[in-house]
Amino acid sequence: MKFQLGIGAILVAASSASFAGAVVVAKDSPVGAIDADQAKRVFLGREASLGGHTAVVVYQKDEAVRTDFENKVLGKTGSELSAYWSKQIFTGKAMAPEEVAGDAQVRAKVASTPGAIGYVTDSGVDSTVKVIFKY
Amino acid sequence: LKHQRDKRLVLVGASIALTLAASAHADVQFNGFGQVVVGSTLNNNRVMNDRTLVPDYKGDPTFQSESLFALQVQAQLADKLSATAQMVADGAPTDRDSSGNFTHNDFTPKFSWAYATYQLTDGLFIRGGRQRLPLYHYSDYLQVGEAYPWIRPPVSVYSLPVSNYDGVSLNGAFAAGNWYMQPQLYFGQVQGEVFAEGVKSAIRLSNIAGAVFDATYDEWLEMRLSYVWGKLTSNGTAVAQIQDGMQQAAQLAAVGYPPGCVGIPPACFPADATAEAAYVDASRTLDLKDLTAQYHSAAISINKYNFLVDSEYIWVRTQGYAPREIAYYASLGYRFGKLTPVLVYGHADYRYGDTGTSQRMITDLQTAENTPIGQLLNTFAGMQGVPTLLQGAQMLVTGEHSIDDYYEAGLRYDLTRNTALKVDYTYYSSPIDPATNPAQHYQHSQLVSAGFVFTF
């Protein structure tokens, strides 16, 4: 059983390279398209507000999806990113990002929270959200 | 007094909790960090000559000194207003008993922070309450082991007796191209305890005014400058004991012995204005009251191509007999996936008083000793088997200088995103020979430590 789980993890890891995703905000958000630097800044908690509201950054818990996003957009992942956030949170410079389970939860959170921004896989984009950056 | 302070903090915490309860829409976050660290010196020597409390390892392995658990609550009370409190439970050393053994905190949680933050504009916020004193680069998150590769920030610089201030800060945070700037101004006061030569004493840094400028380029290069100005007052040090002796000598010199007598020794040691003035002046050189203290720091961090480069240079300038210091470290690490080895060299040069002040004190005491009343005092000291004032002052001057070198090799292994194991070996040495300097207890020492760090 353990062996099978191991194979599964390897398959997921191998397939992660082919992921593509999108940074999304609520459909009716005033926020327009952003570039790679802006996306990185927002998701590192460097922007206090978004579209006139306190910025709420939403990360995904799924390891493969988040690792792909973090490598492509943030340039740091794993414990390096965790160390970065520890520094921000415990010096009171930023609130910790929200972490939700998957694409559907990101869409729900983003659609219902002013100032929220998240990322979903390409297949997770639907009409409830607006894509402002693709990675 | 300490209980009153704790009580006040509990009240602050309670009022925050009440505000939270009253505000049904408050967005509340709980986060925590901690570490379990065990350490031991390889011989019976301490790593740092009793000048500071941490790390106080000596001989037998102990978990107590650096293990800790902290919980932070952050509440968004209104759109632009938030409150933050941090509680820390640790076993850090607090005092030393007469036989030289340290006593430690018993892991009772205490508020280390409690402040409110108001967002003035997107890039500017104001904060009031008890906050971390951002003297040096890692001061803000000294205890958050998860945030740095070492088992502890380099002790050459990070051996401060105080970590918090009560006051107000004005903080900027904004992007300019690929740069991210975080300027900060703060005002307030610090109270704490220092440990010098086995004597614990209270210190106060009042009217502090500080400025920090932190600039990060593209998230891999960080440069930081910091300056703090304040008025330093300290009571109850070993220095104060000698000063007390000088003041008593001045009182005796003012009246003579027996008091008010007229004549010549040995029947009478008459009042002597020269000796009195000399004792008074000598005691003034040791005044530790409202002395100007200035703390400077310049730091750089590079995190690129898996290399971690970290360096900081600090210098402390003070007036009179207050401690002054120059210290620095340079650290190089490389991230091999989950494994990060790191090498550190650190140096600290620490002294009490400048040479002019010391010389003035010695000259004053020599002048006083040349009077009949001064000689009588020396005889008394001799009879009681204690050093004369001049001998005491000379010991103080000899012991006022310490030089420390640290050579450190560490390894961090990331277990998961938010847990890691760390090991460290530190070799300590000093060019000062303990035979010539009573304050230099050990010339060499080796410390090994291992730890587990986590955040949640």
Side-chain angles (χ1 to χ4, degrees):
Chain A
M1 200 58 191
K2 217 167 195 178
F3 179 70
Q4 281 176 6
L5 279 175
I7 295 281
I10 289 165
L11 288 178
V12 168
S15 66
S16 71
S18 62
F19 275 154
V23 169
V24 295
V25 292
K27 182 182 60 184
D28 53 358
S29 166
V31 179
I34 58 172
D35 63 23
D37 282 337
Q38 287 170 314
K40 180 167 154 180
R41 263 202 316 268
V42 174
F43 280 95
L44 288 178
R46 301 292 208 191
E47 299 284 351
S49 74
L50 204 63
H53 295 278
T54 302
V56 176
V57 177
V58 186
Y59 277 45
Q60 291 217 25
K61 281 181 186 159
D62 183 284
E63 195 60 29
V65 174
R66 76 178 293 173
T67 303
D68 182 58
F69 168 78
E70 289 165 3
N71 279 327
K72 286 180 182 163
V73 179
L74 305 185
K76 52 181 102 192
T77 185
S79 56
E80 191 187 353
L81 183 64
S82 165
Y84 170 87
W85 273 108
S86 296
K87 187 172 150 180
Q88 307 306 315
I89 295 163
F90 298 116
T91 57
K93 286 185 174 142
M95 297 281 266
E98 300 233 1
E99 289 186 9
V100 300
D103 287 350
Q105 287 80 2
V106 173
R107 288 194 303 266
K109 180 75 192 173
V110 161
S112 65
T113 315
I117 184 168
Y119 56 86
V120 293
T121 58
D122 266 356
S123 57
V125 176
D126 73 8
S127 62
T128 62
V129 292
K130 175 161 79 176
V131 173
I132 58 169
F133 178 71
K134 279 174 149 322
Y135 61 88
Chain B
L1 189 74
K2 191 167 182 300
H3 276 109
Q4 279 175 4
R5 203 172 59 215
D6 287 349
K7 216 177 207 171
R8 213 170 59 221
L9 278 175
V10 170
L11 286 176
V12 170
S15 65
I16 289 172
L18 282 174
T19 319
L20 291 183
S23 156
H25 301 289
D27 180 9
V28 184
Q29 269 192 5
F30 289 92
N31 298 99
F33 60 89
Q35 61 185 25
V36 178
V37 175
V38 60
S40 175
T41 52
L42 295 184
N43 39 34
N44 218 23
N45 293 355
R46 286 187 201 284
V47 172
M48 313 183 64
N49 283 284
D50 293 0
R51 181 158 65 72
T52 56
L53 287 171
V54 176
D56 73 320
Y57 300 113
K58 184 180 179 184
D60 299 329
T62 173
F63 281 93
Q64 216 164 2
S65 286
E66 293 182 292
S67 296
L68 61 95
F69 186 89
L71 185 66
Q72 175 171 299
V73 54
Q74 261 178 302
Q76 197 70 40
L77 303 172
D79 192 30
K80 294 184 184 307
L81 182 66
S82 68
T84 309
Q86 198 177 88
M87 295 197 73
V88 180
D90 65 27
T94 52
D95 205 348
R96 204 170 67 154
D97 64 22
S98 51
S99 52
N101 297 312
F102 280 92
T103 53
H104 294 79
N105 280 333
D106 57 357
F107 293 92
T108 307
K110 282 182 209 143
F111 277 102
S112 57
W113 287 8
Y115 57 71
T117 306
Y118 186 78
Q119 195 82 37
L120 294 166
T121 68
D122 260 9
L124 198 62
F125 60 92
I126 188 166
R127 179 171 281 177
R130 175 159 295 187
Q131 313 174 47
R132 277 273 189 252
L133 183 66
L135 273 185
Y136 306 140
H137 189 189
Y138 287 89
S139 299
D140 267 353
Y141 49 106
L142 210 48
Q143 296 177 309
V144 190
E146 166 66 14
Y148 44 77
W150 318 290
I151 202 154
R152 64 187 72 83
V155 284
S156 54
V157 167
Y158 295 95
S159 55
L160 282 165
V162 293
S163 54
N164 298 319
Y165 74 100
D166 296 322
V168 182
S169 64
L170 183 65
N171 305 264
F174 55 88
N178 278 327
W179 289 90
Y180 187 69
M181 315 287 193
Q182 296 179 90
Q184 185 182 16
L185 291 174
Y186 60 99
F187 307 92
Q189 76 156 351
V190 177
Q191 301 217 336
E193 282 163 346
V194 286
F195 220 80
E197 280 308 291
V199 179
K200 187 167 83 165
S201 54
I203 61 158
R204 193 181 73 228
L205 199 55
S206 51
N207 302 330
I208 58 169
V212 180
F213 187 76
D214 187 304
T216 304
Y217 178 76
D218 200 22
E219 302 295 343
W220 64 264
L221 170 69
E222 184 184 9
M223 289 181 283
R224 186 183 184 278
L225 293 171
S226 160
Y227 172 77
V228 190
W229 183 97
K231 288 288 189 185
L232 182 71
T233 299
S234 180
N235 305 307
T237 58
V239 169
Q241 289 171 10
I242 294 179
Q243 191 181 27
D244 198 39
M246 292 172 185
Q247 282 160 359
Q248 286 178 29
Q251 282 165 21
L252 190 72
V255 293
Y257 186 82
C261 73
V262 179
I264 55 161
C268 169
F269 298 85
D272 191 314
T274 307
E276 186 196 352
Y279 284 129
V280 168
D281 191 65
S283 95
R284 281 196 187 130
T285 63
L286 295 182
D287 268 341
L288 285 174
K289 192 166 184 292
D290 286 334
L291 300 176
T292 300
Q294 298 173 85
Y295 301 80
H296 314 71
S297 153
I300 185 168
S301 289
I302 296 168
N303 181 355
K304 184 95 171 160
Y305 305 123
N306 289 321
F307 278 102
L308 302 167
V309 179
D310 231 293
S311 190
E312 183 165 15
Y313 185 91
I314 65 132
W315 64 109
V316 181
R317 294 183 56 179
T318 53
Q319 288 179 312
Y321 224 79
R324 58 206 64 198
E325 186 174 15
I326 288 174
Y328 52 85
Y329 63 84
S331 164
L332 176 66
Y334 189 84
R335 193 180 290 108
F336 295 97
K338 292 174 181 302
L339 209 57
T340 309
V342 62
L343 293 171
V344 190
Y345 168 67
H347 177 85
D349 188 318
Y350 190 89
R351 63 166 75 223
Y352 279 86
D354 52 45
T355 26
T357 306
S358 305
Q359 192 50 53
R360 192 177 115 202
M361 173 173 68
I362 298 294
T363 308
D364 279 340
L365 292 174
Q366 283 167 342
T367 304
E369 281 205 349
N370 284 329
T371 65
I373 194 91
Q375 280 161 18
L376 174 73
L377 281 162
N378 286 355
T379 311
F380 276 165
M383 278 162 61
Q384 293 179 6
V386 297
T388 65
L389 284 172
L390 182 59
Q391 285 166 341
Q394 277 162 342
M395 278 164 68
L396 201 63
V397 171
T398 318
E400 74 190 359
H401 193 189
S402 74
I403 300 173
D404 305 321
D405 285 301
Y406 301 92
Y407 305 86
E408 189 177 344
L411 192 63
R412 171 181 169 138
Y413 178 74
D414 298 321
L415 292 169
T416 66
R417 277 180 177 266
N418 53 352
T419 58
L421 292 174
K422 295 176 179 179
V423 290
D424 176 271
Y425 168 82
T426 299
Y427 175 74
Y428 163 81
S429 81
S430 171
I432 296 177
D433 185 349
T436 63
N437 184 338
Q440 184 76 34
H441 302 285
Y442 318 107
Q443 204 169 1
H444 304 281
S445 184
Q446 298 172 77
L447 169 68
V448 285
S449 31
F452 168 68
V453 300
F454 57 90
T455 57
F456 59 90

